[in-house]
Amino acid sequence: MWRTAPPFSELLAGCQRSALHLEMRDHYDDPDEAPRVAAWESGYRPDPDDRDSWWRPWLEMVSETVARGVEMRRARIVSEPVSRYTHYLYDGTFANIAAGEQIRWLPRKKASVIALPGNDFWLFDGNLVRFGYFSGGGAYLGDEVTDQPDVAELCATAFEAVWNAATPHDEYRI
C-alpha cells in the first residue's frame, strides 16, 4: 500500500533496528539549507571543535535515534568530479558522523551494475520505505511510504549492494 508519508520525525521515532538512506542526486535544493550552502560557497567551513556552530536539530534527532540502538547508515552515489553541492555535503559530513551516522560514497560509474530504484529512499527496519521525490533542479516535491514486501526487498538489496561497493567517508577523497 502506498500513502503520503507521515512526518520524518515520526518514522525515525518508530524505528527500532535500522534506518538506511540512499541518496542518488548530485544536487538538492533545500531552502532551509540554503544559508549554510551560501556560507560554504563564500568560504566558511565549520570548525569540528566548535560543536555549537554546526549542531542542528537534525543531528540531535540522529544522535537520539542511534542512542536507542538504531543503526543509521547513509550511502551517496555521486558523479565525479563531484558537483559543488556534493563537495559542500562532503565537507559537512563530519557532523553526521559525530551524531552517529555511518556514511559511504560510491562513484556513479561504479553503480552501473547495481539495480537501483528510481528515487532516493529511506528504509526503516527493513520493511517500510519512504521515497523522496525531487524536481530536475533538486527541489523537494514530496514523498510516499510503502510497506510492500517486494519494494522493501528491492530497496534493501540495492542499499546493501551500494554500501558494499562504496568507500567509507574517512577514506573517500574528492
Side-chain angles (χ1 to χ4, degrees), residues 103-137:
I103 299 178
R104 292 188 179 183
W105 303 81
L106 183 65
R108 191 169 309 282
K109 68 182 179 183
K110 293 183 178 181
S112 297
V113 296
I114 300 173
L116 298 166
N119 295 287
D120 290 9
F121 65 85
W122 280 89
L123 176 62
F124 300 96
D125 291 334
N127 59 28
L128 182 67
V129 180
R130 176 190 173 268
F131 286 106
Y133 304 122
F134 298 87
S135 72

PDB file of all heavy atoms in Angstrom, residues 103-137:
ATOM      1  N   ILE A 103      28.528   6.731   7.009  1.00  0.00           N
ATOM      2  CA  ILE A 103      28.325   7.272   5.669  1.00  0.00           C
ATOM      3  C   ILE A 103      29.397   6.746   4.724  1.00  0.00           C
ATOM      4  O   ILE A 103      30.586   6.733   5.062  1.00  0.00           O
ATOM      5  CB  ILE A 103      28.309   8.813   5.683  1.00  0.00           C
ATOM      6  CG1 ILE A 103      27.154   9.289   6.562  1.00  0.00           C
ATOM      7  CG2 ILE A 103      28.213   9.380   4.263  1.00  0.00           C
ATOM      8  CD1 ILE A 103      27.012  10.771   6.719  1.00  0.00           C
ATOM      9  N   ARG A 104      28.936   6.344   3.540  1.00  0.00           N
ATOM     10  CA  ARG A 104      29.836   5.886   2.487  1.00  0.00           C
ATOM     11  C   ARG A 104      29.481   6.581   1.174  1.00  0.00           C
ATOM     12  O   ARG A 104      28.354   7.023   0.972  1.00  0.00           O
ATOM     13  CB  ARG A 104      29.754   4.371   2.308  1.00  0.00           C
ATOM     14  CG  ARG A 104      30.300   3.615   3.502  1.00  0.00           C
ATOM     15  CD  ARG A 104      30.386   2.150   3.228  1.00  0.00           C
ATOM     16  NE  ARG A 104      30.933   1.459   4.391  1.00  0.00           N
ATOM     17  CZ  ARG A 104      31.172   0.165   4.432  1.00  0.00           C
ATOM     18  NH1 ARG A 104      30.904  -0.592   3.370  1.00  0.00           N
ATOM     19  NH2 ARG A 104      31.663  -0.387   5.507  1.00  0.00           N
ATOM     20  N   TRP A 105      30.482   6.614   0.283  1.00  0.00           N
ATOM     21  CA  TRP A 105      30.374   7.283  -1.012  1.00  0.00           C
ATOM     22  C   TRP A 105      30.666   6.283  -2.126  1.00  0.00           C
ATOM     23  O   TRP A 105      31.634   5.528  -2.038  1.00  0.00           O
ATOM     24  CB  TRP A 105      31.389   8.418  -1.094  1.00  0.00           C
ATOM     25  CG  TRP A 105      31.251   9.427   0.005  1.00  0.00           C
ATOM     26  CD1 TRP A 105      31.736   9.322   1.278  1.00  0.00           C
ATOM     27  CD2 TRP A 105      30.595  10.683  -0.069  1.00  0.00           C
ATOM     28  NE1 TRP A 105      31.413  10.447   2.007  1.00  0.00           N
ATOM     29  CE2 TRP A 105      30.711  11.297   1.201  1.00  0.00           C
ATOM     30  CE3 TRP A 105      29.916  11.349  -1.086  1.00  0.00           C
ATOM     31  CZ2 TRP A 105      30.182  12.545   1.476  1.00  0.00           C
ATOM     32  CZ3 TRP A 105      29.386  12.599  -0.801  1.00  0.00           C
ATOM     33  CH2 TRP A 105      29.512  13.185   0.459  1.00  0.00           C
ATOM     34  N   LEU A 106      29.842   6.315  -3.170  1.00  0.00           N
ATOM     35  CA  LEU A 106      30.068   5.447  -4.326  1.00  0.00           C
ATOM     36  C   LEU A 106      30.082   6.292  -5.593  1.00  0.00           C
ATOM     37  O   LEU A 106      29.078   6.936  -5.927  1.00  0.00           O
ATOM     38  CB  LEU A 106      28.969   4.386  -4.445  1.00  0.00           C
ATOM     39  CG  LEU A 106      29.156   3.392  -5.588  1.00  0.00           C
ATOM     40  CD1 LEU A 106      30.394   2.526  -5.365  1.00  0.00           C
ATOM     41  CD2 LEU A 106      27.912   2.522  -5.745  1.00  0.00           C
ATOM     42  N   PRO A 107      31.210   6.300  -6.319  1.00  0.00           N
ATOM     43  CA  PRO A 107      31.217   6.990  -7.607  1.00  0.00           C
ATOM     44  C   PRO A 107      30.151   6.375  -8.530  1.00  0.00           C
ATOM     45  O   PRO A 107      30.009   5.150  -8.601  1.00  0.00           O
ATOM     46  CB  PRO A 107      32.627   6.734  -8.140  1.00  0.00           C
ATOM     47  CG  PRO A 107      33.451   6.472  -6.914  1.00  0.00           C
ATOM     48  CD  PRO A 107      32.522   5.747  -5.980  1.00  0.00           C
ATOM     49  N   ARG A 108      29.413   7.229  -9.210  1.00  0.00           N
ATOM     50  CA  ARG A 108      28.313   6.786 -10.069  1.00  0.00           C
ATOM     51  C   ARG A 108      28.749   5.729 -11.084  1.00  0.00           C
ATOM     52  O   ARG A 108      28.021   4.772 -11.346  1.00  0.00           O
ATOM     53  CB  ARG A 108      27.697   8.001 -10.784  1.00  0.00           C
ATOM     54  CG  ARG A 108      26.396   7.702 -11.486  1.00  0.00           C
ATOM     55  CD  ARG A 108      25.710   8.965 -11.944  1.00  0.00           C
ATOM     56  NE  ARG A 108      25.571   9.970 -10.905  1.00  0.00           N
ATOM     57  CZ  ARG A 108      24.666   9.956  -9.931  1.00  0.00           C
ATOM     58  NH1 ARG A 108      23.803   8.975  -9.860  1.00  0.00           N
ATOM     59  NH2 ARG A 108      24.628  10.928  -9.034  1.00  0.00           N
ATOM     60  N   LYS A 109      29.956   5.860 -11.621  1.00  0.00           N
ATOM     61  CA  LYS A 109      30.394   4.887 -12.629  1.00  0.00           C
ATOM     62  C   LYS A 109      30.499   3.480 -12.051  1.00  0.00           C
ATOM     63  O   LYS A 109      30.401   2.504 -12.787  1.00  0.00           O
ATOM     64  CB  LYS A 109      31.713   5.318 -13.274  1.00  0.00           C
ATOM     65  CG  LYS A 109      32.899   5.284 -12.355  1.00  0.00           C
ATOM     66  CD  LYS A 109      34.149   5.763 -13.069  1.00  0.00           C
ATOM     67  CE  LYS A 109      35.337   5.735 -12.120  1.00  0.00           C
ATOM     68  NZ  LYS A 109      36.535   6.248 -12.753  1.00  0.00           N
ATOM     69  N   LYS A 110      30.661   3.348 -10.740  1.00  0.00           N
ATOM     70  CA  LYS A 110      30.716   2.033 -10.107  1.00  0.00           C
ATOM     71  C   LYS A 110      29.329   1.494  -9.761  1.00  0.00           C
ATOM     72  O   LYS A 110      29.201   0.353  -9.325  1.00  0.00           O
ATOM     73  CB  LYS A 110      31.587   2.087  -8.853  1.00  0.00           C
ATOM     74  CG  LYS A 110      33.043   2.332  -9.152  1.00  0.00           C
ATOM     75  CD  LYS A 110      33.875   2.294  -7.894  1.00  0.00           C
ATOM     76  CE  LYS A 110      35.349   2.501  -8.222  1.00  0.00           C
ATOM     77  NZ  LYS A 110      36.177   2.451  -7.009  1.00  0.00           N
ATOM     78  N   ALA A 111      28.309   2.297  -9.958  1.00  0.00           N
ATOM     79  CA  ALA A 111      26.940   1.880  -9.646  1.00  0.00           C
ATOM     80  C   ALA A 111      26.230   1.283 -10.859  1.00  0.00           C
ATOM     81  O   ALA A 111      25.100   0.808 -10.730  1.00  0.00           O
ATOM     82  CB  ALA A 111      26.133   3.062  -9.117  1.00  0.00           C
ATOM     83  N   SER A 112      26.874   1.276 -12.003  1.00  0.00           N
ATOM     84  CA  SER A 112      26.220   0.829 -13.237  1.00  0.00           C
ATOM     85  C   SER A 112      25.730  -0.610 -13.187  1.00  0.00           C
ATOM     86  O   SER A 112      24.777  -0.956 -13.885  1.00  0.00           O
ATOM     87  CB  SER A 112      27.162   1.003 -14.426  1.00  0.00           C
ATOM     88  OG  SER A 112      27.459   2.365 -14.611  1.00  0.00           O
ATOM     89  N   VAL A 113      26.337  -1.442 -12.390  1.00  0.00           N
ATOM     90  CA  VAL A 113      25.959  -2.857 -12.343  1.00  0.00           C
ATOM     91  C   VAL A 113      24.988  -3.161 -11.200  1.00  0.00           C
ATOM     92  O   VAL A 113      24.677  -4.316 -10.932  1.00  0.00           O
ATOM     93  CB  VAL A 113      27.216  -3.754 -12.218  1.00  0.00           C
ATOM     94  CG1 VAL A 113      28.089  -3.603 -13.457  1.00  0.00           C
ATOM     95  CG2 VAL A 113      27.998  -3.439 -10.962  1.00  0.00           C
ATOM     96  N   ILE A 114      24.493  -2.107 -10.530  1.00  0.00           N
ATOM     97  CA  ILE A 114      23.576  -2.287  -9.404  1.00  0.00           C
ATOM     98  C   ILE A 114      22.168  -1.881  -9.825  1.00  0.00           C
ATOM     99  O   ILE A 114      21.960  -0.799 -10.362  1.00  0.00           O
ATOM    100  CB  ILE A 114      24.031  -1.430  -8.195  1.00  0.00           C
ATOM    101  CG1 ILE A 114      25.444  -1.839  -7.754  1.00  0.00           C
ATOM    102  CG2 ILE A 114      23.033  -1.570  -7.044  1.00  0.00           C
ATOM    103  CD1 ILE A 114      26.038  -0.935  -6.686  1.00  0.00           C
ATOM    104  N   ALA A 115      21.207  -2.767  -9.588  1.00  0.00           N
ATOM    105  CA  ALA A 115      19.801  -2.430  -9.857  1.00  0.00           C
ATOM    106  C   ALA A 115      19.326  -1.482  -8.757  1.00  0.00           C
ATOM    107  O   ALA A 115      19.372  -1.829  -7.574  1.00  0.00           O
ATOM    108  CB  ALA A 115      18.954  -3.690  -9.883  1.00  0.00           C
ATOM    109  N   LEU A 116      18.912  -0.292  -9.166  1.00  0.00           N
ATOM    110  CA  LEU A 116      18.530   0.750  -8.211  1.00  0.00           C
ATOM    111  C   LEU A 116      17.090   1.193  -8.427  1.00  0.00           C
ATOM    112  O   LEU A 116      16.627   1.273  -9.571  1.00  0.00           O
ATOM    113  CB  LEU A 116      19.439   1.978  -8.380  1.00  0.00           C
ATOM    114  CG  LEU A 116      20.922   1.753  -8.116  1.00  0.00           C
ATOM    115  CD1 LEU A 116      21.736   2.929  -8.632  1.00  0.00           C
ATOM    116  CD2 LEU A 116      21.150   1.539  -6.626  1.00  0.00           C
ATOM    117  N   PRO A 117      16.381   1.553  -7.338  1.00  0.00           N
ATOM    118  CA  PRO A 117      15.075   2.180  -7.506  1.00  0.00           C
ATOM    119  C   PRO A 117      15.261   3.543  -8.176  1.00  0.00           C
ATOM    120  O   PRO A 117      16.369   4.083  -8.192  1.00  0.00           O
ATOM    121  CB  PRO A 117      14.550   2.344  -6.078  1.00  0.00           C
ATOM    122  CG  PRO A 117      15.529   1.691  -5.181  1.00  0.00           C
ATOM    123  CD  PRO A 117      16.763   1.387  -5.953  1.00  0.00           C
ATOM    124  N   GLY A 118      14.219   4.111  -8.671  1.00  0.00           N
ATOM    125  CA  GLY A 118      14.313   5.372  -9.402  1.00  0.00           C
ATOM    126  C   GLY A 118      14.429   6.611  -8.547  1.00  0.00           C
ATOM    127  O   GLY A 118      14.654   7.696  -9.077  1.00  0.00           O
ATOM    128  N   ASN A 119      14.286   6.484  -7.241  1.00  0.00           N
ATOM    129  CA  ASN A 119      14.293   7.648  -6.363  1.00  0.00           C
ATOM    130  C   ASN A 119      15.076   7.375  -5.090  1.00  0.00           C
ATOM    131  O   ASN A 119      15.224   6.223  -4.665  1.00  0.00           O
ATOM    132  CB  ASN A 119      12.857   8.024  -5.981  1.00  0.00           C
ATOM    133  CG  ASN A 119      12.057   8.472  -7.172  1.00  0.00           C
ATOM    134  OD1 ASN A 119      12.261   9.572  -7.690  1.00  0.00           O
ATOM    135  ND2 ASN A 119      11.160   7.625  -7.648  1.00  0.00           N
ATOM    136  N   ASP A 120      15.545   8.453  -4.473  1.00  0.00           N
ATOM    137  CA  ASP A 120      16.169   8.343  -3.154  1.00  0.00           C
ATOM    138  C   ASP A 120      15.161   7.718  -2.196  1.00  0.00           C
ATOM    139  O   ASP A 120      13.952   7.880  -2.351  1.00  0.00           O
ATOM    140  CB  ASP A 120      16.507   9.725  -2.606  1.00  0.00           C
ATOM    141  CG  ASP A 120      17.651  10.410  -3.333  1.00  0.00           C
ATOM    142  OD1 ASP A 120      18.099   9.920  -4.384  1.00  0.00           O
ATOM    143  OD2 ASP A 120      18.086  11.455  -2.837  1.00  0.00           O
ATOM    144  N   PHE A 121      15.685   7.038  -1.184  1.00  0.00           N
ATOM    145  CA  PHE A 121      14.777   6.437  -0.216  1.00  0.00           C
ATOM    146  C   PHE A 121      15.418   6.307   1.154  1.00  0.00           C
ATOM    147  O   PHE A 121      16.633   6.335   1.297  1.00  0.00           O
ATOM    148  CB  PHE A 121      14.292   5.057  -0.682  1.00  0.00           C
ATOM    149  CG  PHE A 121      15.384   4.020  -0.785  1.00  0.00           C
ATOM    150  CD1 PHE A 121      15.784   3.285   0.332  1.00  0.00           C
ATOM    151  CD2 PHE A 121      16.005   3.766  -1.998  1.00  0.00           C
ATOM    152  CE1 PHE A 121      16.792   2.341   0.232  1.00  0.00           C
ATOM    153  CE2 PHE A 121      17.004   2.818  -2.101  1.00  0.00           C
ATOM    154  CZ  PHE A 121      17.403   2.098  -0.971  1.00  0.00           C
ATOM    155  N   TRP A 122      14.550   6.142   2.131  1.00  0.00           N
ATOM    156  CA  TRP A 122      14.893   5.686   3.475  1.00  0.00           C
ATOM    157  C   TRP A 122      14.212   4.340   3.640  1.00  0.00           C
ATOM    158  O   TRP A 122      13.052   4.174   3.239  1.00  0.00           O
ATOM    159  CB  TRP A 122      14.352   6.633   4.538  1.00  0.00           C
ATOM    160  CG  TRP A 122      15.165   7.867   4.754  1.00  0.00           C
ATOM    161  CD1 TRP A 122      15.041   9.065   4.103  1.00  0.00           C
ATOM    162  CD2 TRP A 122      16.223   8.027   5.700  1.00  0.00           C
ATOM    163  NE1 TRP A 122      15.962   9.956   4.593  1.00  0.00           N
ATOM    164  CE2 TRP A 122      16.702   9.343   5.574  1.00  0.00           C
ATOM    165  CE3 TRP A 122      16.814   7.187   6.651  1.00  0.00           C
ATOM    166  CZ2 TRP A 122      17.737   9.839   6.362  1.00  0.00           C
ATOM    167  CZ3 TRP A 122      17.839   7.683   7.430  1.00  0.00           C
ATOM    168  CH2 TRP A 122      18.298   8.993   7.278  1.00  0.00           C
ATOM    169  N   LEU A 123      14.906   3.393   4.240  1.00  0.00           N
ATOM    170  CA  LEU A 123      14.332   2.086   4.556  1.00  0.00           C
ATOM    171  C   LEU A 123      14.412   1.914   6.075  1.00  0.00           C
ATOM    172  O   LEU A 123      15.499   1.912   6.644  1.00  0.00           O
ATOM    173  CB  LEU A 123      15.103   0.975   3.843  1.00  0.00           C
ATOM    174  CG  LEU A 123      14.673  -0.457   4.148  1.00  0.00           C
ATOM    175  CD1 LEU A 123      13.226  -0.708   3.715  1.00  0.00           C
ATOM    176  CD2 LEU A 123      15.622  -1.440   3.451  1.00  0.00           C
ATOM    177  N   PHE A 124      13.255   1.799   6.703  1.00  0.00           N
ATOM    178  CA  PHE A 124      13.163   1.680   8.150  1.00  0.00           C
ATOM    179  C   PHE A 124      12.908   0.234   8.552  1.00  0.00           C
ATOM    180  O   PHE A 124      11.928  -0.378   8.102  1.00  0.00           O
ATOM    181  CB  PHE A 124      12.037   2.571   8.690  1.00  0.00           C
ATOM    182  CG  PHE A 124      12.232   4.027   8.379  1.00  0.00           C
ATOM    183  CD1 PHE A 124      11.616   4.604   7.273  1.00  0.00           C
ATOM    184  CD2 PHE A 124      13.055   4.817   9.172  1.00  0.00           C
ATOM    185  CE1 PHE A 124      11.803   5.937   6.972  1.00  0.00           C
ATOM    186  CE2 PHE A 124      13.246   6.161   8.873  1.00  0.00           C
ATOM    187  CZ  PHE A 124      12.625   6.714   7.773  1.00  0.00           C
ATOM    188  N   ASP A 125      13.795  -0.304   9.370  1.00  0.00           N
ATOM    189  CA  ASP A 125      13.671  -1.664   9.911  1.00  0.00           C
ATOM    190  C   ASP A 125      13.455  -2.717   8.830  1.00  0.00           C
ATOM    191  O   ASP A 125      12.862  -3.768   9.087  1.00  0.00           O
ATOM    192  CB  ASP A 125      12.547  -1.735  10.949  1.00  0.00           C
ATOM    193  CG  ASP A 125      12.885  -0.964  12.212  1.00  0.00           C
ATOM    194  OD1 ASP A 125      14.084  -0.807  12.519  1.00  0.00           O
ATOM    195  OD2 ASP A 125      11.951  -0.516  12.900  1.00  0.00           O
ATOM    196  N   GLY A 126      13.915  -2.438   7.631  1.00  0.00           N
ATOM    197  CA  GLY A 126      13.844  -3.417   6.546  1.00  0.00           C
ATOM    198  C   GLY A 126      12.475  -3.626   5.944  1.00  0.00           C
ATOM    199  O   GLY A 126      12.317  -4.458   5.055  1.00  0.00           O
ATOM    200  N   ASN A 127      11.474  -2.857   6.401  1.00  0.00           N
ATOM    201  CA  ASN A 127      10.131  -3.132   5.874  1.00  0.00           C
ATOM    202  C   ASN A 127       9.285  -1.921   5.506  1.00  0.00           C
ATOM    203  O   ASN A 127       8.229  -2.078   4.923  1.00  0.00           O
ATOM    204  CB  ASN A 127       9.353  -4.023   6.856  1.00  0.00           C
ATOM    205  CG  ASN A 127       9.214  -3.404   8.219  1.00  0.00           C
ATOM    206  OD1 ASN A 127       9.203  -2.190   8.366  1.00  0.00           O
ATOM    207  ND2 ASN A 127       9.131  -4.240   9.240  1.00  0.00           N
ATOM    208  N   LEU A 128       9.724  -0.731   5.844  1.00  0.00           N
ATOM    209  CA  LEU A 128       8.959   0.462   5.475  1.00  0.00           C
ATOM    210  C   LEU A 128       9.858   1.378   4.664  1.00  0.00           C
ATOM    211  O   LEU A 128      10.930   1.767   5.132  1.00  0.00           O
ATOM    212  CB  LEU A 128       8.455   1.197   6.721  1.00  0.00           C
ATOM    213  CG  LEU A 128       7.604   2.445   6.434  1.00  0.00           C
ATOM    214  CD1 LEU A 128       6.273   2.042   5.791  1.00  0.00           C
ATOM    215  CD2 LEU A 128       7.364   3.224   7.712  1.00  0.00           C
ATOM    216  N   VAL A 129       9.436   1.697   3.447  1.00  0.00           N
ATOM    217  CA  VAL A 129      10.237   2.521   2.539  1.00  0.00           C
ATOM    218  C   VAL A 129       9.576   3.886   2.403  1.00  0.00           C
ATOM    219  O   VAL A 129       8.370   3.989   2.179  1.00  0.00           O
ATOM    220  CB  VAL A 129      10.358   1.881   1.143  1.00  0.00           C
ATOM    221  CG1 VAL A 129      11.204   2.753   0.214  1.00  0.00           C
ATOM    222  CG2 VAL A 129      10.922   0.473   1.229  1.00  0.00           C
ATOM    223  N   ARG A 130      10.406   4.917   2.522  1.00  0.00           N
ATOM    224  CA  ARG A 130       9.957   6.292   2.269  1.00  0.00           C
ATOM    225  C   ARG A 130      10.737   6.802   1.067  1.00  0.00           C
ATOM    226  O   ARG A 130      11.952   6.974   1.133  1.00  0.00           O
ATOM    227  CB  ARG A 130      10.226   7.198   3.463  1.00  0.00           C
ATOM    228  CG  ARG A 130       9.864   8.660   3.193  1.00  0.00           C
ATOM    229  CD  ARG A 130      10.386   9.541   4.337  1.00  0.00           C
ATOM    230  NE  ARG A 130      10.218  10.947   4.082  1.00  0.00           N
ATOM    231  CZ  ARG A 130      11.124  11.729   3.503  1.00  0.00           C
ATOM    232  NH1 ARG A 130      12.277  11.237   3.099  1.00  0.00           N
ATOM    233  NH2 ARG A 130      10.881  13.010   3.318  1.00  0.00           N
ATOM    234  N   PHE A 131      10.048   6.982  -0.050  1.00  0.00           N
ATOM    235  CA  PHE A 131      10.666   7.542  -1.248  1.00  0.00           C
ATOM    236  C   PHE A 131      10.512   9.056  -1.208  1.00  0.00           C
ATOM    237  O   PHE A 131       9.437   9.567  -0.903  1.00  0.00           O
ATOM    238  CB  PHE A 131       9.992   7.020  -2.517  1.00  0.00           C
ATOM    239  CG  PHE A 131      10.339   5.600  -2.848  1.00  0.00           C
ATOM    240  CD1 PHE A 131       9.420   4.586  -2.654  1.00  0.00           C
ATOM    241  CD2 PHE A 131      11.585   5.278  -3.363  1.00  0.00           C
ATOM    242  CE1 PHE A 131       9.726   3.277  -2.962  1.00  0.00           C
ATOM    243  CE2 PHE A 131      11.912   3.968  -3.678  1.00  0.00           C
ATOM    244  CZ  PHE A 131      10.975   2.963  -3.471  1.00  0.00           C
ATOM    245  N   GLY A 132      11.593   9.765  -1.536  1.00  0.00           N
ATOM    246  CA  GLY A 132      11.545  11.207  -1.667  1.00  0.00           C
ATOM    247  C   GLY A 132      11.568  11.576  -3.137  1.00  0.00           C
ATOM    248  O   GLY A 132      12.316  10.982  -3.916  1.00  0.00           O
ATOM    249  N   TYR A 133      10.739  12.535  -3.518  1.00  0.00           N
ATOM    250  CA  TYR A 133      10.642  12.960  -4.913  1.00  0.00           C
ATOM    251  C   TYR A 133      11.177  14.387  -5.056  1.00  0.00           C
ATOM    252  O   TYR A 133      10.874  15.251  -4.235  1.00  0.00           O
ATOM    253  CB  TYR A 133       9.191  12.889  -5.389  1.00  0.00           C
ATOM    254  CG  TYR A 133       8.584  11.511  -5.199  1.00  0.00           C
ATOM    255  CD1 TYR A 133       7.439  11.334  -4.442  1.00  0.00           C
ATOM    256  CD2 TYR A 133       9.176  10.379  -5.765  1.00  0.00           C
ATOM    257  CE1 TYR A 133       6.877  10.072  -4.262  1.00  0.00           C
ATOM    258  CE2 TYR A 133       8.629   9.117  -5.586  1.00  0.00           C
ATOM    259  CZ  TYR A 133       7.487   8.970  -4.838  1.00  0.00           C
ATOM    260  OH  TYR A 133       6.942   7.728  -4.648  1.00  0.00           O
ATOM    261  N   PHE A 134      11.949  14.603  -6.128  1.00  0.00           N
ATOM    262  CA  PHE A 134      12.598  15.890  -6.362  1.00  0.00           C
ATOM    263  C   PHE A 134      12.422  16.309  -7.808  1.00  0.00           C
ATOM    264  O   PHE A 134      12.340  15.471  -8.701  1.00  0.00           O
ATOM    265  CB  PHE A 134      14.104  15.781  -6.048  1.00  0.00           C
ATOM    266  CG  PHE A 134      14.374  15.433  -4.623  1.00  0.00           C
ATOM    267  CD1 PHE A 134      14.423  14.110  -4.215  1.00  0.00           C
ATOM    268  CD2 PHE A 134      14.550  16.425  -3.670  1.00  0.00           C
ATOM    269  CE1 PHE A 134      14.654  13.775  -2.885  1.00  0.00           C
ATOM    270  CE2 PHE A 134      14.781  16.106  -2.347  1.00  0.00           C
ATOM    271  CZ  PHE A 134      14.837  14.776  -1.948  1.00  0.00           C
ATOM    272  N   SER A 135      12.420  17.620  -8.028  1.00  0.00           N
ATOM    273  CA  SER A 135      12.373  18.159  -9.390  1.00  0.00           C
ATOM    274  C   SER A 135      13.747  17.985 -10.022  1.00  0.00           C
ATOM    275  O   SER A 135      14.729  17.655  -9.341  1.00  0.00           O
ATOM    276  CB  SER A 135      11.999  19.642  -9.366  1.00  0.00           C
ATOM    277  OG  SER A 135      13.092  20.401  -8.858  1.00  0.00           O
ATOM    278  N   GLY A 136      13.825  18.278 -11.326  1.00  0.00           N
ATOM    279  CA  GLY A 136      15.113  18.215 -12.014  1.00  0.00           C
ATOM    280  C   GLY A 136      16.142  19.140 -11.406  1.00  0.00           C
ATOM    281  O   GLY A 136      17.335  18.847 -11.411  1.00  0.00           O
ATOM    282  N   GLY A 137      15.708  20.264 -10.834  1.00  0.00           N
ATOM    283  CA  GLY A 137      16.614  21.204 -10.200  1.00  0.00           C
ATOM    284  C   GLY A 137      16.909  20.891  -8.745  1.00  0.00           C
ATOM    285  O   GLY A 137      17.645  21.606  -8.091  1.00  0.00           O
TER     286      GLY A 137
END
